[in-house]
Amino acid sequence: MKISIIFHSETGNTKHLAECIAEGAREAGDIEIKLMPIDEVDASFVEASSAVFFGAPTYSACLSWQMKKFFDTTQLPLAGKLGGAFATAGYIGGGSDLGELVMIGAMLVQSMVVYSGGAFCGDPFTHFGAVAIQAGDEAQTARAKIYGTRLAQKAMELFS
Ligand SMILES: Cc1cc2nc3c(=O)[nH]c(=O)nc-3n(C[C@H](O)[C@H](O)[C@H](O)COP(=O)(O)O)c2cc1C
């Protein structure tokens, strides 16, 4: 199984969170994972992927405009794939939840199947997706790894 992780990152924080999520996803089994900045997307790998996770920094209490533009203009074949969202922010309460919800909305518009790895999976109680403040401390990155494992497990359950 293949999983794509597509992210926007200017100063490296969201890239770091993407790497933590990939590390967690690898623990779910025999999965090939490709991390891709939004301007270096490997369309054929995405097409072959069962799941695609999207990450963005929080700008003005929402997702970055670069990631919004990506969703507004992408021609990638995303329909039917499992989707998940993650975000970084400068501050707790800085708007990462709204950014994740806008990404989740965009995934639904793309006809994706969205999963949160959410609160009812137990501790850690992820709600809309993984979040970190800047690059995240040890606890935040540990939560992101578990998020990656949960989403990859769901992808295997649905598509293996
Ligand atoms: C233009 C701009 C707007 C930002 N707006 C917010 C904001 O509204 N709330 C917040 O918590 N952080 C905000 N931040 C901080 C970033 O979300 C944070 O530093 C993020 O981790 C950067 O991700 P990156 O290193 O992947 O680029 C903003 C940063 C920039 C550059």
Side-chain angles (χ1 to χ4, degrees), residues 8-105:
H8 168 230
S9 185
E10 295 291 327
T11 56
N13 297 332
T14 313
K15 180 174 188 240
H16 176 68
L17 193 62
E19 288 163 350
C20 294
I21 291 165
E23 197 179 322
R26 280 188 201 99
E27 287 176 17
D30 185 19
I31 298 173
E32 194 184 343
I33 295 166
K34 193 156 190 176
L35 292 152
M36 302 170 227
I38 46 173
D39 50 359
E40 293 172 34
V41 172
D42 178 344
S44 55
F45 192 93
V46 174
E47 185 166 13
S49 293
S50 302
V52 187
F53 310 149
F54 296 94
T58 304
Y59 285 1
S60 300
C62 199
L63 81 173
S64 65
W65 63 266
Q66 291 91 335
M67 184 53 101
K68 178 69 166 69
K69 181 182 174 191
F70 173 86
F71 275 117
D72 287 349
T73 56
T74 187
Q75 298 293 319
L76 290 170
L78 297 171
K81 299 182 190 298
L82 185 71
F86 59 97
T88 66
Y91 319 96
I92 292 172
S96 56
D97 278 1
L98 182 57
E100 288 187 338
L101 282 170
V102 172
M103 284 192 272
I104 287 167

Side-chain angles (χ1 to χ4, degrees), residues 99-114:
E100 288 187 338
L101 282 170
V102 172
M103 284 192 272
I104 287 167
M107 286 182 242
L108 292 173
V109 170
Q110 296 286 338
S111 304
M112 296 184 75
V113 180
V114 180

